[in-house]
Amino acid sequence: MSDQEFESTESGASLTIPTQAGALKKGAHAILKGHPCKIVEITTSKTGKHGHAKANITGLDIFTNKKYEDSCPTSHNMDVPVVVRKEYQVINIDGDYVELMNDQGDTKGDVKIPTEGGDVTDVGQQLQDMFDEGKDLGVIVLAAMGQEKIIQVKEITN
């Protein structure tokens, strides 16, 4: 028996899944120019002189809402981010960070109030206002590629 003890919170799963570019659809997710994006438009061009049809993909970054475009032969693989939505209860707001608790009672305090370009987003302002009013709040956190963002706030009613 070894004296070493290993503690891990990650499942060891990959942050992305390879998927054929021709199989991607509008509304799905893909990595465009290194950013996890939701596909808003996808068009395919006919096979050319060199025999590959190309998929032209336009998407919005799921965290910043910035627009990215990329093209790839439909027969080649593109990375698709593993996107997870989790619900938490808000315990406290400390500066720019929100302290959250999941259904199992585990807490985390590393999720920031949503901002865009240095300004608090509508969701962030709604979160702050409802918390200041003393309401019990729940949030939905979107997580992908090691990033997390609060995307929705709701009042918890018993």
Side-chain angles (χ1 to χ4, degrees):
M1 211 53 180
S2 148
D3 291 339
Q4 294 178 339
E5 194 175 303
F6 295 99
E7 188 175 312
S8 175
T9 57
E10 295 296 319
S11 64
S14 176
L15 299 175
T16 61
I17 300 168
T19 303
Q20 202 168 35
L24 295 173
K25 303 280 182 247
K26 184 177 177 178
H29 294 96
I31 303 290
L32 303 179
K33 306 281 191 215
H35 299 271
C37 296
K38 186 169 190 165
I39 298 171
V40 293
E41 185 181 352
I42 186 164
T43 57
T44 52
S45 59
K46 297 275 187 245
T47 55
K49 175 165 70 167
H50 300 291
H52 286 289
K54 277 204 158 80
N56 298 308
I57 303 164
T58 304
L60 296 175
D61 187 306
I62 59 177
F63 297 112
T64 64
N65 241 12
K66 255 179 105 176
K67 186 177 181 179
Y68 291 97
E69 295 180 16
D70 207 350
S71 65
C72 177
T74 55
S75 58
H76 291 196
N77 281 346
M78 285 191 79
D79 286 331
V80 172
V82 176
V83 179
V84 180
R85 294 170 61 105
K86 293 181 182 172
E87 288 192 34
Y88 293 96
Q89 182 175 346
V90 176
I91 299 172
N92 190 22
I93 296 178
D94 185 15
D96 293 342
Y97 291 90
V98 184
E99 194 174 337
L100 305 171
M101 181 173 67
N102 66 10
D103 293 340
Q104 289 77 37
D106 299 326
T107 61
K108 61 188 284 131
D110 60 350
V111 180
K112 281 189 154 190
I113 292 176
T115 58
E116 206 168 286
D119 297 326
V120 176
T121 63
D122 291 344
V123 171
Q125 192 59 54
Q126 179 188 10
L127 170 65
Q128 191 75 54
D129 292 345
M130 290 173 76
F131 183 78
D132 290 344
E133 292 169 14
K135 296 180 177 176
D136 287 336
L137 301 179
V139 293
I140 295 178
V141 176
L142 195 66
M145 297 183 64
Q147 298 180 60
E148 292 180 309
K149 182 179 180 182
I150 296 171
I151 59 165
Q152 188 179 344
V153 181
K154 57 188 176 188
E155 186 176 358
I156 300 172
T157 54
N158 294 335

